Amino acid sequence: MSTKKIWFLILWVLLFAVFLGLSIWLESPVCLHIASAIPILIVLCLPNREQNQYIRARHLKKVRLLAHDSGENGRLTISFTPGFIRWKQGGKLYFHLNTLSRGEAAAESANPHQQASLSVLPYDLAPHPSKSGWVGIDLEQLAARTASLAITTDEVVRLIIPLQDLEQVAVRHMAGLLPVGNNSKRLHA
């Protein structure tokens, strides 16, 4: 939640308390009506915590993150049970880079015809703005891409990400964390 929204939230809560107190002290119905309208503005300032989804350690029974071939053709496969990702909610699906396991994928299910995979493109990936090591996948872009395909998001059980794209996201994130300006020391020969 941004600091601007936090200050607006504090302001609206204080105004609510002031107008509620004034309505009691002055016995004013006008102040009471104003105080009763302020919670609507308070609700608008509250954060929407459910917008983004996270793959945490407790989800590893439903989700598997598997890295294949660490070379140039390396890829990360995120396999999940149907219904794990809430596509209609939008937002991003975040996973931590430390949860990746290496190895070869086993057969996912007895009926491979009912499984669909989606490729995650470089512009679908973004680092988390405040948590290091977390990478997000833009679910709205993936869902929009499936509109032109013969599959729906309900059929998707696997996301495939090239490892080079993950490395580029990590490099961009690290470049953003480095200090910029004349304060850096230079080595002179």
Side-chain angles (χ1 to χ4, degrees):
M1 190 157 126
S2 69
T3 56
K4 185 178 179 181
K5 277 195 168 189
I6 290 173
W7 285 110
F8 275 121
L9 180 63
I10 292 170
L11 173 74
W12 291 125
V13 169
L14 287 175
L15 281 174
F16 173 73
V18 166
F19 278 106
L20 191 61
L22 283 174
S23 69
I24 294 170
W25 185 48
L26 299 174
E27 297 178 4
S28 169
V30 173
C31 289
L32 184 61
H33 288 296
I34 293 171
S36 65
I38 290 177
I40 296 170
L41 299 172
I42 292 174
V43 169
L44 294 176
C45 292
L46 292 175
N48 184 2
R49 294 285 181 197
E50 296 297 320
Q51 184 177 8
N52 294 324
Q53 301 171 45
Y54 292 87
I55 298 175
R56 300 194 188 277
R58 67 176 180 258
H59 297 131
L60 293 180
K61 292 180 182 175
K62 298 178 183 179
V63 181
R64 194 171 76 200
L65 290 88
L66 193 61
H68 308 276
D69 303 329
S70 60
E72 188 174 307
N73 296 327
R75 67 195 182 285
L76 169 67
T77 304
I78 301 175
S79 303
F80 47 89
T81 58
F84 175 77
I85 295 179
R86 298 179 303 271
W87 293 96
K88 294 186 181 7
Q89 188 174 339
K92 294 190 187 283
L93 174 69
Y94 285 104
F95 62 93
H96 199 279
L97 295 175
N98 289 344
T99 58
L100 305 180
S101 60
R102 298 221 175 258
E104 289 299 319
E108 297 292 332
S109 135
N111 193 356
H113 297 291
Q114 293 188 3
Q115 295 182 348
S117 299
L118 272 179
S119 294
V120 178
L121 302 177
Y123 59 85
D124 295 329
L125 298 172
H128 195 282
S130 61
K131 297 179 180 180
S132 66
W134 288 87
V135 177
I137 302 169
D138 193 337
L139 295 176
E140 291 176 22
Q141 290 180 5
L142 289 179
R145 205 173 310 135
T146 61
S148 63
L149 299 175
I151 60 170
T152 64
T153 54
D154 295 331
E155 298 171 17
V156 175
V157 294
R158 196 177 308 111
L159 300 175
I160 300 171
I161 307 168
L163 288 179
Q164 288 180 338
D165 296 344
L166 277 178
E167 290 171 3
Q168 289 175 1
V169 168
V171 167
R172 280 186 302 185
H173 181 65
M174 292 306 294
L177 294 177
L178 295 176
V180 179
N182 294 333
N183 295 340
S184 62
K185 296 181 180 179
R186 295 183 185 188
L187 181 63
H188 294 284

